[in-house]
């Protein structure tokens, strides 16, 4: 296998890689999960911990994943096996690929459910159901919808089918085409809504204060773990998604520069989402600690009161759904690429196989808000909460730590030098951080939380 191309396909340019990786990174994690976690974990102090994790630990690991993917040019499982072999080290490192595939299934299982909620809100918005709505009604509609197992599973199934369809069409025709148009559109709509929150809610300042002024008393070591987990989740790190995408990246582009751009884009979308949602929370007497329903309750209120909100609201949820799709495809990619390599089947068959398994596991999360709400797994958590907790707070940081250790200490020097040829100025700093800072950072958070 030549090292300049992947058998699975290639991004047509550096920009397309950035859009695809940003498409993976920007998703429900930014618009839905970040605001509600910030709301539950004390606002500003959580945001601060999150930003430190993103730039100190996240960016270097992001670069490491791209590097490993591009050097391997295969599915993460096989890339890791080959790179370990070429570096003359143990095949243990292949575990990174396997753990990643497991985390991918767990995340996709609940991700597709929430994305299904977002899709159903396209219809709710467009039908005018939220015109003039207030906080009570918005909460009530959300509660009734999630309690309806049949419709939740219906939307979950539709979202999964779309994900499979795009993944099946391949890197160029499926993914690249999707991200090329949707990512810029998403930015425009987000900015529009920030203006709405700033001008129309009368509580913009309160929202900003909540997000940006750290109240140290509100913080606990548990929230530190959540902030770190969110940093990994939002950058799509620690499970091989970015590694899989890196395998399709053209050879002559800078890795560290690209990783930084992706992180900046991703962080801006999260902060903008917070700046949209919190002013609405305060203006409507809602609690920031509303939980997973936060976005689904606040945005309908805003759109319900805005001129043209019926259309813009529907459009916004179209874009949330597409932001979710460009992420869910990347969640499937490590497993799809591996199935194609291992079983020598077409991409379409690989995508269907992986998608059906993830769909099935997802039923557990779909039922966590209705008929399965009383079924608990890990210390009183529902199936949904358990998948979320184990994958994001444990598997992703652990995977990221192993990736940093492998790339920093065990990967053959020649490979690192080749891949970082375009990043001379930063490569030493990257080395120090991947060797020492990132692994220690993850370890310290784990120890603080579990001791
Ligand atoms: N980064 C995505 C988001 O913020 O919505 C979620 C995600 C995608 C996590 C891909 C992990 C992953 F591999």
């Amino acid at each position: 296998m030549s090292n300049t191309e992947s058998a699975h396909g290639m991004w047509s340019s550096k920009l397309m890689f950035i859009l695809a990786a940003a498409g993976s990174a920007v998703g429900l994690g930014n618009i839905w999960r970040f605001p509600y976690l910030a709301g539950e974990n004390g606002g500003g102090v959580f945001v601060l911990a999150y930003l430190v994790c993103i730039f100190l630990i996240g960016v270097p690991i992001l670069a490491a994943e791209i590097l490993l993917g591009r050097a391997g040019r295969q599915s993460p499982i096989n890339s890791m096996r080959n790179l370990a072999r070429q570096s003359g080290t143990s095949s243990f490192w292949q575990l990174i690929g396997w753990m990643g595939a497991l985390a991918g299934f767990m995340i996709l299982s609940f991700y597709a459910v929430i994305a299904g909620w977002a899709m159903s809100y396209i219809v709710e918005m467009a039908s005018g159901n939220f015109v003039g709505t207030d906080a009570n009604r918005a909460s009530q509609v959300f509660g009734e919808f999630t309690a309806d197992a049949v419709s939740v599973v219906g939307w979950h199934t539709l979202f999964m089918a779309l994900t499979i369809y795009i993944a099946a069409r391949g890197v160029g025709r499926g993914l690249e085409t999707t991200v090329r148009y949707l990512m810029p559109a998403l930015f425009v709509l987000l900015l529009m809504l920030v203006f709405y929150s700033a001008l129309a809610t009368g509580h913009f300042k309160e929202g900003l204060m909540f997000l940006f002024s750290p109240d140290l008393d509100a913080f606990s070591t548990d929230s530190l773990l959540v902030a770190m987990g969110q940093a990994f989740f939002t950058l799509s790190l620690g499970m091989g998604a970015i590694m899989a995408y890196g395998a399709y990246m053209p050879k002559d582009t800078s890795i560290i520069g690209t990783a930084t751009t992706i992180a900046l884009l991703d962080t801006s979308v999260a902060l903008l989402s917070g700046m949209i949602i919190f002013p609405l929370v305060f203006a409507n007497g809602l609690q920031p600690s509303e939980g997973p329903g936060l976005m689904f309750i606040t945005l309908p209120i805003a759109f319900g009161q805005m001129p043209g909100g019926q259309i813009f609201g529907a459009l916004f949820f179209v874009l949330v759904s597409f932001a979710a799709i460009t992420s869910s495809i990347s969640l499937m990619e490590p497993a799809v690429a591996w199935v194609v390599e291992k079983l020598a089947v077409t991409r379409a068959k690989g995508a269907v196989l992986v998608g059906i398994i993830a769909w099935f596991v997802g039923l557990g999360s779909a039922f966590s808000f209705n008929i399965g709400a009383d079924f608990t797994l890990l210390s009183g958590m529902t199936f949904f909460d358990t998948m979320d907790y184990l994958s994001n707070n444990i598997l992703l940081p652990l995977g990221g730590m192993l990736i940093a250790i492998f790339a920093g200490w065990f990967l053959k020097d020649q490979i690192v030098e080749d891949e970082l040829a375009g990043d001379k100025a930063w490569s030493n700093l990257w080395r120090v951080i991947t060797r020492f800072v990132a692994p220690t950072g993850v370890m310290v958070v784990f120890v603080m939380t579990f001791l």
Side-chain angles (χ1 to χ4, degrees):
M1 167 66 58
S2 107
N3 192 31
T4 53
E5 298 241 329
S6 161
H8 298 287
M10 294 292 286
W11 308 114
S12 62
S13 65
K14 169 183 170 175
L15 178 67
M16 284 302 138
F17 171 75
I18 293 184
L19 281 187
S24 166
V26 172
L28 296 172
N30 308 62
I31 309 170
W32 161 73
R33 196 169 188 267
F34 169 78
Y36 94 74
L37 291 182
E40 283 178 340
N41 291 280
V45 71
F46 173 86
V47 176
L48 189 66
Y50 161 84
L51 290 175
V52 170
C53 291
I54 292 269
F55 289 100
L56 205 61
I57 305 180
V59 175
I61 297 184
L62 188 58
E65 273 207 37
I66 301 174
L67 191 161
L68 293 172
R70 192 167 76 173
R73 293 278 186 222
Q74 284 188 292
S75 65
I77 292 175
N78 284 330
S79 286
M80 284 308 303
R81 193 190 56 208
N82 293 342
L83 291 172
R85 201 176 283 159
Q86 283 168 35
S87 307
T89 177
S90 152
S91 59
F92 158 82
W93 295 104
Q94 209 181 331
L95 181 72
I96 291 176
W98 289 108
M99 262 174 47
L102 175 68
F105 277 110
M106 290 169 75
I107 296 176
L108 192 53
S109 77
F110 70 82
Y111 206 82
V113 173
I114 310 294
W117 294 359
M119 280 176 48
S120 91
Y121 266 54
I122 301 172
V123 179
E124 293 281 339
M125 282 285 166
S127 67
N129 199 2
F130 284 120
V131 173
T133 202
D134 61 11
N136 277 341
R137 215 181 86 77
S139 307
Q140 192 194 345
V141 172
F142 177 71
E144 282 168 9
F145 167 67
T146 49
D148 178 356
V150 175
S151 100
V152 167
V153 171
W155 287 105
H156 162 227
T157 308
L158 183 62
F159 179 82
M160 209 59 187
L162 279 172
T163 303
I164 294 173
Y165 174 74
I166 299 177
R169 283 173 67 87
V171 177
R173 282 191 312 149
L175 205 60
E176 197 166 302
T177 316
T178 313
V179 297
R180 188 191 293 263
Y181 299 104
L182 291 167
M183 297 307 291
L186 181 70
F187 255 98
V188 172
L189 262 144
L190 273 176
L191 287 177
M192 244 182 57
L193 278 173
V194 174
F195 280 113
Y196 174 80
S197 265
L199 301 175
T201 59
H203 286 73
F204 195 59
K205 206 168 141 218
E206 217 177 317
L208 288 187
M209 290 290 286
F210 182 74
L211 272 176
F212 296 112
S213 68
D215 165 14
L216 289 176
D217 294 341
F219 202 65
S220 67
T221 49
D222 279 346
S223 5
L224 187 59
L225 182 70
V226 177
M228 183 173 75
Q230 172 63 5
F232 279 92
F233 180 75
T234 193
L235 291 177
S236 304
L237 284 189
M239 57 144 284
I242 295 293
M243 205 186 287
Y245 274 16
Y248 318 144
M249 186 197 198
K251 188 80 191 169
D252 55 353
T253 47
S254 110
I255 287 182
I256 298 176
T258 318
T260 312
T261 309
I262 296 165
L264 287 172
L265 283 172
D266 185 76
T267 306
S268 333
V269 176
L271 295 177
L272 287 174
S273 300
M275 285 155 68
I276 293 169
I277 286 179
F278 288 109
L280 288 164
V281 167
F282 296 120
N284 291 286
L286 292 162
Q287 289 304 317
S289 55
E290 189 76 37
L294 195 63
M295 171 182 94
F296 293 94
I297 295 168
T298 49
L299 289 185
I301 303 173
F303 287 117
Q305 288 163 7
M306 166 191 309
Q310 200 169 333
I311 295 168
F312 282 118
L315 205 56
F316 184 80
F317 280 100
V318 169
L319 287 164
V320 173
S321 308
F322 277 112
I325 279 195
T326 57
S327 300
S328 63
I329 299 163
S330 74
L331 279 161
M332 281 181 52
E333 188 60 27
V336 172
W338 182 77
V339 168
V340 169
E341 286 161 13
K342 180 77 183 175
L343 307 179
V345 292
T346 59
R347 248 195 99 90
K349 288 201 178 118
V352 170
L353 180 68
V354 171
I356 288 180
I357 300 174
W359 174 84
F360 187 74
V361 184
L363 292 178
S365 291
F367 295 147
S368 292
F369 298 87
N370 38 67
I371 51 177
D374 296 332
F375 172 76
T376 54
L377 284 168
L378 210 65
S379 62
M381 291 195 259
T382 61
F383 188 89
F384 168 88
D385 290 334
T386 309
M387 290 296 123
D388 179 296
Y389 182 86
L390 286 182
S391 54
N392 298 325
N393 295 355
I394 313 289
L395 284 177
L396 295 188
L398 195 62
M401 185 176 87
L402 292 175
I403 286 168
I405 295 175
F406 178 76
W409 295 96
F410 292 91
L411 188 62
K412 203 163 133 192
D413 276 341
Q414 189 59 47
I415 299 180
V416 178
E417 276 165 35
D418 277 358
E419 294 299 334
L420 293 186
D423 289 294
K424 284 262 166 353
W426 297 100
S427 58
N428 283 339
L429 180 63
W430 174 83
R431 259 245 138 101
V432 172
I433 298 191
T434 34
R435 283 194 165 173
F436 302 101
V437 181
T440 323
V442 176
M443 199 84 89
V444 166
V445 176
F446 274 151
V447 170
M448 274 169 72
T449 329
F450 295 115
L451 281 191

